[in-house]
Amino acid sequence: MIYTSVKHSIADSDLGLVNQKGQRIYSCSQGLTRENLAELMRFSSYRLPKDNTIKYSKEYGDPSVPQMFPKVFRTLRLADGRFAAIQSVYAGYDADGEEGNFFAHALVFDEIDDDFFPVLFFGSELFRTYLTKAEQESELVRYLPVIENPPLPDGINEEIETFIKLHKKELTYLVNHAVTMLASEHLKNICICTKEEYLTERYLIALK
C-alpha cells in the first residue's frame, strides 16, 4: 500500500477507495481488505519537527526530498493475523503546493513461519519513497503488483548475528533498562540514539 498526496488514486468500491486528489491511498495490492487499509493508514504518518531548518525543493514529488530526512519505520500485526512493515518518509510539498506531505509504503506479509520478523525488512530496497512523473499524472491508477517471496536485504541474518556478538554488553544494558521502564506507569516512548544511522538500525533489529 502507498499512502501520500496524489492527483489521482485507485478506485475500488469494495475497499471504499475513490479516484480523487488529496492525501490518501494511492494504490495497493489486491488481496488487502478495507480493515487492513484502515489499520495501515493509522500507522503511516510522518510529522516534520516544527524547528526544522533543512531547506528542500518546492517541487511536488521531488525524489531528492525523502533522502534529506530520517525515515520512520514501524511494524505491526494486523487484526487478521498478517504482519506489516511500514516505512514513512517526509516528501516536502503536496499536490496542492502545501508543505507537510509524506510518503508511506507498507509491505504486508501473508505466508510466514515462526522465525519471521518484519523488522528484518528495515532499510529494504523494496520500500518506495516517491511516485514517478508518469504515476503522478496518470488518471488511471492500477493495483500495485504482489511481490512474490520478498527478499530480505542481502546477508541481513548473518550481519545481525555478528552485531549481537560484538554488542552483547550494550544490548544487555538496553534490554534491562527497557524492562524496567516498561513497568513504569509514566513511560510513553523509548529512544535509542547513536552517532550513526546504521548503528541505530542494527540496534533496533537486534533487540527485536
Side-chain angles (χ1 to χ4, degrees):
M1 179 203 78
I2 290 178
Y3 185 89
T4 189
S5 173
V6 298
K7 297 179 180 179
H8 307 282
S9 60
I10 195 165
D12 186 318
S13 58
D14 291 336
L15 296 177
L17 303 176
V18 295
N19 185 348
Q20 63 183 39
K21 190 177 184 180
Q23 189 85 26
R24 56 192 301 101
I25 292 176
Y26 166 72
S27 185
C28 64
S29 299
Q30 291 179 295
L32 295 179
T33 67
R34 185 182 295 216
E35 291 72 23
N36 291 154
L37 297 179
E39 288 182 90
L40 294 170
M41 284 192 292
R42 286 201 299 271
F43 292 91
S44 295
S45 62
Y46 188 110
R47 182 173 296 176
L48 192 67
K50 292 181 179 180
D51 60 353
N52 171 64
T53 58
I54 299 175
K55 304 297 182 182
Y56 52 88
S57 169
K58 293 185 177 182
E59 178 186 354
Y60 164 59
D62 187 330
S64 70
V65 176
Q67 308 308 316
M68 302 170 67
F69 297 89
K71 298 178 176 65
V72 174
F73 183 80
R74 301 178 176 96
T75 63
L76 64 149
R77 191 157 197 174
L78 303 176
D80 61 6
R82 290 189 278 189
F83 282 101
I86 307 171
Q87 178 181 275
S88 301
V89 297
Y90 187 65
Y93 287 76
D94 63 21
D96 291 316
E98 301 291 333
E99 291 184 270
N101 185 24
F102 61 87
F103 188 104
H105 188 186
L107 301 178
V108 178
F109 306 93
D110 282 321
E111 299 180 8
I112 57 176
D113 54 38
D114 293 338
D115 296 325
F116 178 80
F117 295 98
V119 72
L120 291 175
F121 284 86
F122 194 112
S124 170
E125 294 184 358
L126 293 174
F127 289 110
R128 297 182 54 183
T129 57
Y130 64 92
L131 297 178
T132 65
K133 290 291 186 181
E135 289 172 328
Q136 291 174 19
E137 301 299 333
S138 177
E139 295 184 16
L140 177 61
V141 179
R142 303 183 184 279
Y143 292 100
L144 297 176
V146 174
I147 303 173
E148 300 291 347
N149 302 314
L152 289 170
D154 291 339
I156 186 66
N157 288 312
E158 295 78 7
E159 186 178 339
I160 295 305
E161 288 179 5
T162 301
F163 183 86
I164 291 173
K165 292 177 182 177
L166 295 174
H167 297 81
K168 283 185 177 179
K169 181 179 179 180
E170 294 89 344
L171 288 166
T172 299
Y173 175 87
L174 287 170
V175 169
N176 289 338
H177 280 71
V179 170
T180 300
M181 289 187 289
L182 287 171
S184 170
E185 297 180 355
H186 306 293
L187 176 70
K188 292 185 178 181
N189 294 290
I190 296 175
C191 178
I192 298 175
C193 182
T194 66
K195 292 183 178 179
E196 299 178 34
E197 180 179 350
Y198 166 83
L199 287 176
T200 304
E201 293 177 358
R202 294 303 175 260
Y203 273 118
L204 289 173
I205 296 174
L207 287 169
K208 286 286 186 178

